Amino acid sequence: MLKANFSSSKSVIVYRYGTDYTVYLSSLGYHVRMQYERKNIQQMAGYVPGEQPTDAHTIKLNTNENPYPPPAAVMAALGEVQPEDLRRYPSPAAAGFRDAAARCHGVSSEQIVTTNGGDELIRLALTTFVEPGQPVGIADPSYSLYLTAAAIHGSPVVKAKLTDHWQLPTDFAQQMNAAGVALTLVVNPHAPSGQLLKKDTIAALADALDGVLMVDEAYVDFADPSHNLVPLIKQHNNLLILRTLSKGYSLAGLRLGYGIGPTNLITPIATKTRDSFSVDAIADRVGATALAHRESFSAGWAMVRENREKLVGELRKRGFTVPDSQTNFCLARVPNQATQSAHTLYLALKEAGILVRYFDTPALNNCLRITIGTAEQNARLLAAIDAASHE
């Protein structure tokens, strides 16, 4: 059936093909515009990524990259890529990386699925486990891409507001179950606050939820090293863990992620809904090398933790409210007595050549999310904050 929206200005949008119909409307004096997008795509807002600098001097503290480069072994693996590797299609399952991830986490390769960045796994979880129109559940606030992915899928989003201390409400699972949520997305450590839910909390949540629980561990490499959710997948057949090499492994430009879970969740993704060549040959080779040299990255993770504690302490001295973080960023609320709002400070820092993330949302009112940089970058940030506060 053809659908059309009329307006008093003699303009009409037609939502399907229909030559005879459009000719007829034109004959009546209407200006006809064809609309080919699905209606939910037309109505949604796209994901807004962090700003990219246009010069080499800008300090980029807005998109949570690791400030330290990959080790020499990873760069050597990149140099070993041969023309034949590029001429041929890659391994459909990215077998080299998949096996390396299985060894890294002590699971079978059938419990690993490789993806084009962690974001692809979010889309695949929706495609695999959520009927179009069925709701998806998240905490509020959370990673904004969840909203975009759900809108593309045609699923409403059930939001459970976090407490004043950035914790899940005690009835979080009950809210999700009552709404008929098929997939609950929890980023842990949490973005944007940096808070970490303990293993027992995640286990209890998986037990209580009727649907699939995806725990997005994009930032877990910067958390307490004793934190490990992987053993839980043996006990919870509805638990899917997202990992990425973008943050901890300094490979955001490679676009490589993976999922860890029980085979009842991994198999349909790996064999049905995942694109057969979503991970290229370069990412397969370099990613496997990165996981094999995991210990080489751990020193950088420790430095980020050390720099994080120092930066958080300095921000608190300046009156910012900053929750404890287990990530490579912190969320800083501008002091109430400050002469500048978070947005004004964000602009002042940008003018000084420092990018941080500002979210114009009620839940993050007057907050800036700041990526932990090197000691030198953090010192420049603090100096710029001090300079801005005296303007």
Side-chain angles (χ1 to χ4, degrees):
M1 178 183 292
L2 289 165
K3 293 184 178 180
N5 284 352
F6 294 85
S7 73
S8 58
S9 62
K10 299 292 284 185
S11 177
V12 60
I13 299 175
V14 178
Y15 285 94
R16 292 290 184 269
Y17 292 101
T19 303
D20 292 342
Y21 188 43
T22 57
V23 169
Y24 169 69
L25 290 171
S26 297
S27 71
L28 296 178
Y30 282 97
H31 172 65
V32 180
R33 292 182 292 145
M34 295 299 296
Q35 180 56 259
Y36 299 103
E37 289 176 274
R38 289 163 49 203
K39 209 161 190 178
N40 64 308
I41 303 299
Q42 183 198 22
Q43 294 172 349
M44 66 174 281
Y47 175 71
V48 179
E51 298 167 88
Q52 297 293 331
T54 56
D55 64 88
H57 304 291
T58 297
I59 296 179
K60 195 165 181 284
L61 303 179
N62 62 331
T63 50
N64 302 338
E65 290 109 339
N66 191 327
Y68 304 108
V74 172
M75 300 311 297
L78 182 62
E80 292 168 0
V81 175
Q82 299 297 311
E84 188 71 357
D85 296 324
L86 302 182
R87 184 187 69 79
R88 300 174 60 181
Y89 282 104
S91 163
F97 177 76
R98 189 185 193 193
D99 292 344
R103 289 192 297 271
C104 179
H105 296 291
V107 299
S108 70
S109 59
E110 288 73 26
Q111 293 174 293
I112 301 287
V113 60
T114 56
T115 57
N116 186 254
D119 292 348
E120 187 191 25
L121 185 59
I122 296 167
R123 291 253 201 143
L124 289 171
L126 281 158
T127 302
T128 308
F129 306 120
V130 183
E131 298 284 352
Q134 197 172 12
V136 173
I138 65 171
D140 182 28
S142 191
Y143 182 25
S144 58
L145 184 72
Y146 297 157
L147 299 172
T148 304
I152 292 170
H153 190 67
S155 287
V157 177
V158 177
K159 301 178 186 179
K161 186 174 176 57
L162 295 177
T163 70
D164 291 341
H165 299 288
W166 305 102
Q167 297 298 306
L168 293 176
T170 55
D171 64 341
F172 180 75
Q174 288 80 1
Q175 289 186 49
M176 300 299 112
N177 291 341
V181 165
L183 173 68
T184 300
L185 299 157
V186 173
V187 56
N188 189 51
H190 178 252
S193 74
Q195 298 277 282
L196 180 71
L197 295 176
K198 302 297 185 183
K199 180 179 176 181
D200 290 348
T201 302
I202 296 296
L205 190 56
D207 273 334
L209 286 169
D210 294 336
V212 173
L213 170 62
M214 175 187 277
V215 180
D216 183 343
E217 291 196 322
Y219 301 101
V220 75
D221 296 311
F222 305 106
D224 183 335
S226 67
H227 178 77
N228 183 16
L229 296 185
V230 174
L232 293 180
I233 67 174
K234 295 179 181 178
Q235 304 149 23
H236 303 276
N237 67 2
N238 65 335
L239 177 61
L240 180 63
I241 299 172
L242 180 155
R243 290 291 187 98
T244 178
L245 272 68
S246 293
K247 310 299 183 183
Y249 289 87
S250 305
L251 294 171
L254 197 69
R255 309 310 303 133
L256 180 59
Y258 60 106
I260 316 168
T263 55
N264 64 296
L265 298 184
I266 295 296
T267 299
I269 297 175
T271 63
K272 297 178 181 179
T273 54
R274 175 187 176 275
D275 184 83
S276 55
F277 300 109
S278 66
V279 174
D280 63 62
I282 297 173
D284 188 7
R285 179 190 291 265
V286 174
T289 303
L291 290 186
H293 291 80
R294 179 181 172 86
E295 290 305 313
S296 298
F297 290 92
S298 60
W301 301 339
M303 290 175 68
V304 168
R305 293 185 196 106
E306 181 180 341
N307 290 340
R308 179 181 69 204
E309 298 312 306
K310 291 179 179 177
L311 179 61
V312 168
E314 290 296 327
L315 289 170
R316 287 172 176 168
K317 286 180 185 177
R318 289 160 171 79
F320 289 83
T321 301
V322 188
D324 292 334
S325 174
Q326 290 279 325
T327 64
N328 68 330
F329 60 83
C330 64
L331 186 70
R333 187 178 298 278
V334 174
N336 292 330
Q337 68 274 20
T339 57
Q340 293 181 313
S341 67
H343 185 250
T344 304
L345 180 56
Y346 152 76
L347 292 175
L349 292 174
K350 185 176 180 178
E351 182 68 22
I354 302 172
L355 295 178
V356 297
R357 196 73 188 262
Y358 170 73
F359 299 97
D360 188 15
T361 61
L364 300 172
N365 181 43
N366 230 19
C367 292
L368 297 176
R369 193 195 66 192
I370 304 170
T371 303
I372 308 302
T374 63
E376 295 75 17
Q377 290 172 336
N378 294 341
R380 183 173 155 187
L381 167 74
L382 292 168
I385 290 174
D386 290 342
S389 66
H390 290 97
E391 289 181 355

